[in-house]
Amino acid sequence: MILWVITGLLLEGVAGVALDPCSAYTSLNEPWRSTEYHVNQSSGGPFCDSHVSGEWYRFTGMAGDAMPTFCVSEDHCGTHAPIWLNGSHPEPHEGIVPLPVCASFNDNCCRWNASIDVKACTGGYFVYRLPRPPVCFHVYCGHFYDICDEVDCAGSSCPKSDCRCAPGTVLGPDRQTCLDVNECAKGNGGCAEMCVNTKGSRRCECGSGRVLAADGSNCREVAGCHVNNGGCSHGCSSLLDSYQCHCPRGLELGEDKRTCQVPVQCDSSAIIVSVPKDLVEGLELSLSNSSCRGVSNGTHINLSFSLNTCGTVVEVTEYKIVGSNLVTGLPRSSPRSSSDLIVRTSRLVLPVTCEFPREYQVSDGYQASQRSSALELAGRSEGVFPFALELFKSAEFSEPYSAPPQLRLHDSLFFGVEPKERVEGLSALVESCFATPGPRADQALKYYLIKDGCISDETVTQYLSKDQLSKHYQVPVFKFIGKDNRQVFLHCQVLVCRAGDSHCSRGCGGRVRRDVRTTKPQELHTLSGGPIFILPEPGR
């Protein structure tokens, strides 16, 4: 294990006066430094911070706001071994503080560690004295932290700050950014052995030959396959100091890494269940609506349905849209082949559940040609209910632009939030829509058209839509101040509800702001496009 030790004093000015690193630093602004960048996305990567030489640095631009204080998975930040800050950022009054950093590699969040100096500046940002990494490929990561939520409160019981952060984060020195809390810093996070700080939380880990107990904090010895088959539903294989479960061909391990499950693909337009044929020979498979039957492809029996078909039950919980169906298998009444003369099991009952987040964020510039491509499948039993932010040519809201529109000030811009799949019994609320001069939804300069479910710009007009999931608006074309600002991007946050649910039906008049202290963080999906090109006025 290599320890990086940093020594030195403040930068010396020309006249021998020590310069404050908050005003004498080098910016790190490469986009591939962001935690969002996988090494495969980085042109020319993997990168290495061989040029870093123990000077003071600040993360700016597309690199992020500050170093992440949670474990960053390997192959991110444009390199194989990303470096993250294994501690909490200091306060401005603390001055220069030494803190540990870790480099993640090979499923180890702290494969290498070191020490750096950090200072919180009164301007609301941080600077870091970074040593040159001893080996490649190491890169210091940057991260875009979330912005706090404004608090509408009056009275003596109100919090001191007018901005509130989600659980697991704390308001930064700029009184706007929500920094991650290092839960491992206090009492080792309650972990008996190793504590790893994660985004918004922490996790406990155990040494070789031990696994986490049911409480998630203590460790216990590995039982092995000889005791209750290691807890595996099917196969169990002994390793040198551990064991692992495995599944028959065609099944896959569930999240508990012990139970074998049938693969399920979740999408709002098509939910597909694939059952290995050799496990259900002689059985006829169908869904809740028995007319929806399985189709064989030679190796699997596939059943395909949607949220609208085959008796699927759609439920809206506090945080998710849940679609449920039931696959049943009964012996064939008349055998179709010799393999149908016997059965491996007398009956199959397979509950199928797909979960979709309720809240989404869609973004676009004044360009509709990309149509905010459908959100990708998020998991075996989790999916997304995709929306798109469309830009239309007229108030008919029937013809989107096929190329980036070139509009003049005072022209009308028609835009709408459209679902990819229309499901009866669901409605949507546009919680916010705002414009930015660049494609990023989290940049500081933004102008709200809709906020907290209410139209905040009096020039915005809402049109009647063809269903409760579509929302249509018109606004006069505008631009941001500055001769270089010729592009505008739009971003909208959408909440999906059951039809008639008070969260969506009350709209603006009865809209109640959600308390972020008790609300589970929502999974947001951003669909990006743009820009709108703003033409100069005639004669200019």
Side-chain angles (χ1 to χ4, degrees):
M1 190 167 291
I2 302 171
L3 179 65
W4 303 334
V5 180
I6 305 173
T7 60
L9 301 174
L10 290 175
L11 298 175
E12 295 291 331
V14 175
V17 179
L19 299 178
D20 187 346
C22 290
S23 58
Y25 57 78
T26 300
S27 289
L28 298 176
N29 57 13
E30 300 92 341
W32 45 260
R33 287 189 183 277
S34 169
T35 53
E36 301 296 326
Y37 268 75
H38 192 278
V39 67
N40 293 336
Q41 296 175 264
S42 306
S43 177
F47 297 95
C48 179
D49 269 341
S50 57
H51 67 284
V52 173
S53 56
E55 303 296 331
W56 286 94
Y57 298 88
R58 175 186 173 187
F59 291 86
T60 62
M62 297 299 290
D65 308 314
M67 286 190 69
T69 55
F70 51 86
C71 176
V72 179
S73 301
E74 62 182 288
D75 292 336
H76 283 77
C77 305
T79 193
H80 293 310
I83 302 175
W84 55 281
L85 185 65
N86 191 14
S88 299
H89 280 93
E91 295 288 337
H93 66 84
E94 295 180 274
I96 298 175
V97 177
L99 290 173
V101 293
C102 286
S104 306
F105 189 71
N106 198 24
D107 294 327
N108 187 338
C109 285
C110 208
R111 177 62 179 82
W112 294 279
N113 63 8
S115 178
I116 66 172
D117 289 336
V118 185
K119 183 177 181 181
C121 301
T122 54
Y125 56 90
F126 300 92
V127 291
Y128 309 82
R129 181 152 50 191
L130 306 177
R132 179 184 289 113
V135 296
C136 275
F137 295 93
H138 287 185
V139 160
Y140 291 100
C141 289
H143 181 68
F144 285 102
Y145 284 94
D146 293 334
I147 302 300
C148 59
D149 288 319
E150 297 177 1
V151 178
D152 299 324
C153 183
S156 58
S157 61
C158 293
K160 294 181 180 179
S161 171
D162 61 351
C163 222
R164 189 178 296 162
C165 293
T169 62
V170 64
L171 197 61
D174 63 351
R175 316 311 297 170
Q176 183 181 14
T177 304
C178 293
L179 300 176
D180 186 75
V181 173
N182 188 347
E183 287 84 357
C184 296
K186 185 177 180 180
N188 197 38
C191 300
E193 295 190 14
M194 294 176 285
C195 179
V196 177
N197 192 48
T198 59
K199 188 176 181 180
S201 184
R202 65 96 177 99
R203 70 170 182 266
C204 299
E205 294 183 350
C206 302
S208 178
R210 293 182 297 281
V211 296
L212 278 177
D215 60 8
S217 299
N218 292 299
C219 299
R220 61 177 177 80
E221 296 295 324
V222 175
C225 296
H226 61 284
V227 179
N228 194 29
N229 197 40
C232 303
S233 65
H234 289 73
C236 181
S237 299
S238 298
L239 305 177
L240 182 62
D241 57 356
S242 180
Y243 73 96
Q244 69 179 24
C245 303
H246 54 85
C247 299
R249 182 173 60 89
L251 299 183
E252 58 185 25
L253 279 177
E255 293 182 358
D256 62 1
K257 300 302 181 183
R258 289 183 170 83
T259 305
C260 295
Q261 299 177 344
V262 172
V264 178
Q265 299 179 19
C266 293
D267 187 273
S268 64
S269 59
I271 300 172
I272 301 175
V273 184
S274 298
V275 183
K277 187 175 180 180
D278 55 5
L279 295 181
V280 292
E281 285 181 341
L283 296 185
E284 181 86 37
L285 303 188
S286 62
L287 293 162
S288 295
N289 183 335
S290 58
S291 64
C292 298
R293 299 180 179 274
V295 177
S296 174
N297 65 0
T299 60
H300 289 75
I301 305 297
N302 295 322
L303 300 102
S304 180
F305 57 101
S306 71
L307 296 176
N308 280 322
T309 61
C310 298
T312 305
V313 176
V314 179
E315 179 185 5
V316 180
T317 68
E318 187 174 1
Y319 306 114
K320 293 181 180 293
I321 304 166
V322 183
S324 302
N325 210 312
L326 186 69
V327 177
T328 57
L330 297 173
R332 298 184 189 277
S333 56
S334 57
R336 298 179 182 177
S337 66
S338 59
S339 62
D340 291 338
L341 296 176
I342 63 171
V343 294
R344 304 292 183 184
T345 180
S346 60
R347 180 180 175 88
L348 172 70
V349 178
L350 174 63
V352 177
T353 300
C354 280
E355 298 179 345
F356 305 86
R358 284 184 62 191
E359 194 164 4
Y360 300 90
Q361 182 166 303
V362 289
S363 304
D364 211 336
Y366 292 2
Q367 171 181 318
S369 59
Q370 295 186 10
R371 293 187 61 87
S372 301
S373 57
L375 299 175
E376 296 290 337
L377 175 69
R380 178 191 53 78
S381 59
E382 292 185 358
V384 292
F385 192 85
F387 282 85
L389 179 59
E390 298 283 15
L391 304 167
F392 297 93
K393 294 182 178 182
S394 70
E396 299 295 324
F397 297 96
S398 59
E399 185 180 2
Y401 283 99
S402 59
Q406 299 186 23
L407 305 174
R408 299 186 188 276
L409 296 180
H410 309 302
D411 286 349
S412 288
L413 172 67
F414 301 94
F415 67 96
V417 172
E418 301 282 353
K420 178 186 175 184
E421 183 75 9
R422 304 186 187 279
V423 179
E424 293 184 7
L426 297 181
S427 63
L429 171 70
V430 177
E431 292 195 306
S432 68
C433 277
F434 57 89
T436 60
R440 293 185 56 85
D442 59 356
Q443 62 186 103
L445 182 59
K446 59 184 63 174
Y447 180 77
Y448 277 91
L449 302 175
I450 301 170
K451 191 172 185 180
D452 292 336
C454 300
I455 291 177
S456 55
D457 184 317
E458 60 183 12
T459 66
V460 176
T461 301
Q462 182 172 3
Y463 287 72
L464 291 176
S465 304
K466 51 192 171 184
D467 57 52
Q468 296 188 71
L469 285 172
S470 299
K471 303 296 175 182
H472 295 151
Y473 304 91
Q474 179 266 331
V475 65
V477 170
F478 59 90
K479 66 180 290 290
F480 286 89
I481 295 175
K483 64 179 182 179
D484 295 330
N485 288 327
R486 293 291 183 184
Q487 302 174 2
V488 177
F489 294 78
L490 295 180
H491 315 271
C492 293
Q493 186 170 325
V494 184
L495 178 69
V496 181
C497 305
R498 178 178 292 280
D501 184 280
S502 59
H503 284 86
C504 290
S505 60
R506 284 184 300 190
C508 177
R511 181 71 175 143
V512 178
R513 186 175 183 85
R514 289 172 294 151
D515 189 341
V516 297
R517 291 176 299 181
T518 59
T519 299
K520 182 179 178 179
Q522 298 289 333
E523 182 181 355
L524 299 180
H525 302 271
T526 301
L527 309 178
S528 299
I532 299 172
F533 295 101
I534 310 298
L535 296 176
E537 292 297 311
R540 293 188 180 181

